[in-house]
Amino acid sequence: MAELLVIEGIVQEIIFQNIANGYTVCDIDVEGVFITVVGIMPGIAPGEGVRLTGRWTTHAEYGEQFKAELCEKILPTGELQILQYLSSGIIKGIGPATAQKIVEKFGTESLEVIRDAPDRLSQIKGISRKKAEEMQISMLEKQAVQSVVMYLQPYGVTPNFAVRVFRKFGPSSVQMIEQNPYVLCEVDGIGFKTADKIAMQMGMDPTSVERLKSGVKYVLTEYAANGHTFLPEEILVRYSAEILTADPVPVQNAVTGMLLEGALIQEAGQEGRNIYLPAFFHAEMGVARRLYTIMNTKQTSLGVSTEAAVNVAQHRTGITLSERQKEACYMVMQNGASVITGGPGTGKTTVINAIIEIMTAADAAVTLCAPTGRAAKRMAETCGMEAKTIHRLLELNFSGDGDRQVFGRNEECPLDEDVVIVDEMSMVDVLLMYALLKAMKPGARLIMVGDADQLTSVGAGDVLRDIMQSGAVPVCRLTDIYRQAAESMIVVGAHKINAGEVPEVNRKDKDFFLMHREDAEGIVNTICDVCAARLPKAYGFSPMTQIQVICPSRKSPLGVNALNKALQARLNPPRSDKPEKTVGEMVLREGDKVMQVRNNYDIMWRNPDSDGEGSGVFNGDVGIIHTISPKGRFLEVLYDEERLVRYDFNQLEDLEMAYAVTVHKSQGSEFDAVIIPMFPCAPQLMCRNLLYTAVTRAKKLVVLVGREGVMHTMIENNREQQRYSGLAGKIRGMMG
């Protein structure tokens, strides 16, 4: 093996860099000699000084290279190196022009001035005291982040996750990890297994109480991510012992200790104790308590009889309501909280519009909201008035550590509106529901609208169904399919699926089709062809904006990951004039269809065709990559042809390819045409309500591609995965 060497130099050019794992290919100037270096070198930029430990290797195609095994950053010392370093944009607020001014003024002391005496920067025209302080903070944070990245690198923690650690714990991150590596479990995306691996490498006792408690909390957190608000104690102890490879007795003792400390909460269950993380227990209790208060608080009088109000609403809207729809309106007027549910084509939107008319005619202030940005946008379009995400309605902010959600609207600062209408209620989890109820003022009405037969929320709880099953809140179920909707085989087919019947497909001049294909390759090729050629030619649909492939699974041969690669290759193949950016295993290319996968209320956007601007991109928003700038280290995504959003390369974990999306990610959205692969996948995903939810995303056309037997299997399987949720019982207990 070649001798281990240490070299120092200045980074000249980044040839390739994977921001997900830090793998980098770059040219480095070592005393006037340019060498090519490869290895894990997270976050380095042109102009930075580096100390590299590694070996010389010979690549079959690229020749001699230095393979770095360890990379340490060192600040540049010469004026030219400092100028190059500052000009790279590595410090926020300093570009080439400002860098030139700083180096001309302070020379080789420039970096020390920025770090230790930022007030002196205000001597330069154009640099205010505030801007100088921001430069200092950026530089200090850059150095602190790098220390966390380097500390965690030997443990296999990628730079992206190391940055999350820094955001969570700040400059004391390394000290906190050394004291208790299980604090890493608190960082989104790292989890117990990585923390446990680090702890074992640090020599922690496998039987330590800290490890056992962290394992128990990990199990509850993982089950919460799968929708459960609690676990029966016997299941919790058994699964925790398996993950920890520990004896159940000390694990049981750890659970008991956590209950005594208040780190966990117990509740009597049917077969022993149910164990909660405190947040979910308090959320369930809070939802039950506040629903009780709403149901038992006298609402503000509307000043008119229910029948008269409905008649006026019909007159003003020009709509004749059915008897069932009128009952829904009467129910809403007579109760503080109510539920309106029904499948596609049953007139839920018609009822919402009638209720809006009734309430506004009575001078009641109405607000509309939904769990996701796309659902809120669709609600606004169908109701003709503004609708917000629940998070935006509650004025989401983040706490000082930048990690914990804090809502500006709560008990102390309630919403002003008299009526709150929530659409797509099946998607609302128990934590969000609790936050919404806390923000409602006394006497306000809550109207919950949704399809109880769709998939449940991604977050923990089964709120809509629990509220309905409690028997404490009035429910109106709309079942009639109206004439126009009844002409659609999509609507009729969805109701058949929901009833356990096989839908009629391939009727001439209709909108529900099944293309028979048996093998995975044939299904992939057909989906690509339907998306790229057949539907655009036959219907004029755009593959980027009107057609959506929706998959039951993510990782199967016909899952989201595989289909996104195939569809990208067909719809947006590589070209010399199309810049690309590699993010982990994903290659982003100008022209690609992408999805934002978390709410970001602070990121700015501008309208490329006007002077309009604003902030906010939401989980589920789909757009097209407009620009990729490798030199500027950013890309831009155009959403809805009117919001152009710039992402720095370190923000790309917020994006996923979106030629194909999961059924869960499609909830709350509608598309002109939906294509669904029919191929075996994980048994828990081969179920009726998942197919039903996917089909109901389509407005004009559904195309199933694959095996007819898979469709039959999904329709026959009405066994939904049990969610441990105690909300229904708490509501009944509160009302009784």
Side-chain angles (χ1 to χ4, degrees), residues 461-520:
D462 197 354
V463 174
L464 177 59
R465 280 188 259 190
D466 278 352
I467 290 173
M468 292 172 63
Q469 291 171 7
S470 72
V473 177
V475 176
C476 181
R477 185 180 286 274
L478 304 175
T479 55
D480 295 333
I481 303 176
Y482 291 92
R483 183 171 58 83
Q484 186 175 357
E487 296 174 1
S488 166
M489 299 307 295
I490 297 174
V491 172
V492 174
H495 283 274
K496 281 182 172 289
I497 290 169
N498 198 34
E501 302 172 15
V502 176
E504 185 177 357
V505 298
N506 298 341
R507 275 183 60 180
K508 187 177 180 181
D509 299 326
K510 288 297 182 179
D511 51 12
F512 201 126
F513 298 94
L514 170 64
M515 301 180 71
H516 297 271
R517 301 291 186 274
E518 285 298 316
D519 62 283

Side-chain angles (χ1 to χ4, degrees), residues 693-715:
T693 302
V695 166
T696 55
R697 300 307 90 205
K699 292 190 289 186
K700 298 179 181 179
L701 188 70
V702 168
V703 182
L704 308 181
V705 181
R707 302 178 185 176
E708 185 173 2
V710 170
M711 177 183 70
H712 287 215
T713 298
M714 295 181 77
I715 293 170

Side-chain angles (χ1 to χ4, degrees), residues 583-646:
V583 184
E585 297 181 358
M586 179 174 61
V587 176
L588 296 175
R589 185 175 300 134
E590 280 188 4
D592 273 336
K593 183 177 181 179
V594 293
M595 175 183 282
Q596 173 80 10
V597 294
R598 74 175 185 90
N599 290 333
N600 186 334
Y601 293 88
D602 298 322
I603 195 166
M604 299 300 298
W605 57 262
R606 63 181 177 86
N607 189 316
D609 299 322
S610 70
D611 295 330
E613 61 180 23
S615 64
V617 185
F618 309 109
N619 184 7
D621 280 356
V622 174
I624 307 296
I625 296 180
H626 182 270
T627 306
I628 295 180
S629 174
K631 186 175 181 180
R633 298 180 63 77
F634 69 84
L635 65 75
E636 292 178 317
V637 178
L638 183 62
Y639 294 98
D640 304 319
E641 298 184 354
E642 61 182 23
R643 291 178 296 151
L644 190 63
V645 178
R646 174 174 292 199

Side-chain angles (χ1 to χ4, degrees), residues 13 83 177 320 375 452 648 667 736:
E13 182 183 1
L83 178 60
I177 295 166
T320 301
D648 294 333
Q667 275 191 277

Side-chain angles (χ1 to χ4, degrees), residues 92 118 265 354 530 551 578 623 700:
K92 188 176 181 180
I265 295 177
V530 169
C551 306
K578 282 188 177 181
K700 298 179 181 179

Side-chain angles (χ1 to χ4, degrees), residues 3-11 26-39 41 44 48-57 64-74:
E3 181 184 0
L4 196 65
L5 302 172
V6 177
I7 62 173
E8 293 185 3
I10 305 296
V11 179
C26 62
D27 284 339
I28 292 180
D29 179 356
V30 181
E31 298 180 351
V33 178
F34 279 53
I35 66 171
T36 299
V37 179
V38 300
M41 296 175 283
I44 64 169
E48 286 190 301
V50 289
R51 180 181 296 112
L52 304 171
T53 303
R55 295 177 170 87
W56 287 103
T57 63
E64 191 174 50
Q65 299 175 335
F66 189 81
K67 186 174 182 180
E69 298 178 12
L70 181 64
C71 173
E72 302 172 82
K73 292 187 181 182
I74 54 177

